């Protein structure tokens, strides 16, 4: 199973990345091992920057919903 699907840290544990949901993604085993201790932007900038933009937009929407719920 670890060859097909692994848990990867966006901010590597060696750089203080924790096991928080917002810091974890699924990655195939070979990609995760190739990425090693690099952050996503350094490893694959084209994928990493798009992912981070999407995550930022998602978090903004969540915060807006929280603000309007109160």
């Amino acid at each position: 199973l670890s060859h097909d699907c692994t848990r990867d840290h966006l901010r590597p544990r060696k750089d203080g990345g924790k096991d928080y949901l917002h810091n974890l993604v699924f990655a195939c085993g070979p990609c995760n091992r190739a990425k090693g201790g690099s952050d996503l932007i350094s490893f694959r900038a084209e994928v990493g920057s798009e992912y981070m933009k999407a995550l930022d937009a998602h978090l903004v929407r969540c915060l807006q919903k929280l603000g309007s719920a109160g």
Side-chain angles (χ1 to χ4, degrees):
L1 182 62
S2 68
H3 180 76
D4 296 325
C5 187
T6 63
R7 173 184 70 170
D8 188 22
H9 294 80
L10 293 172
R11 181 176 181 199
R13 289 189 297 190
K14 74 173 187 74
D15 293 335
K18 304 289 184 194
D19 288 337
Y20 298 133
L21 187 57
H22 63 273
N23 191 44
L24 298 172
V25 295
F26 290 114
C28 71
C31 287
N32 194 353
R33 287 185 285 283
K35 179 180 165 283
S38 301
D39 62 48
L40 186 60
I41 301 293
S42 299
F43 177 62
R44 294 205 42 204
E46 71 283 0
V47 173
S49 63
E50 289 303 313
Y51 179 84
M52 296 307 285
K53 286 179 196 174
L55 179 61
D56 184 57
H58 171 73
L59 292 174
V60 166
R61 286 190 304 272
C62 288
L63 290 172
Q64 288 171 339
K65 284 182 182 180
L66 285 172
S68 66

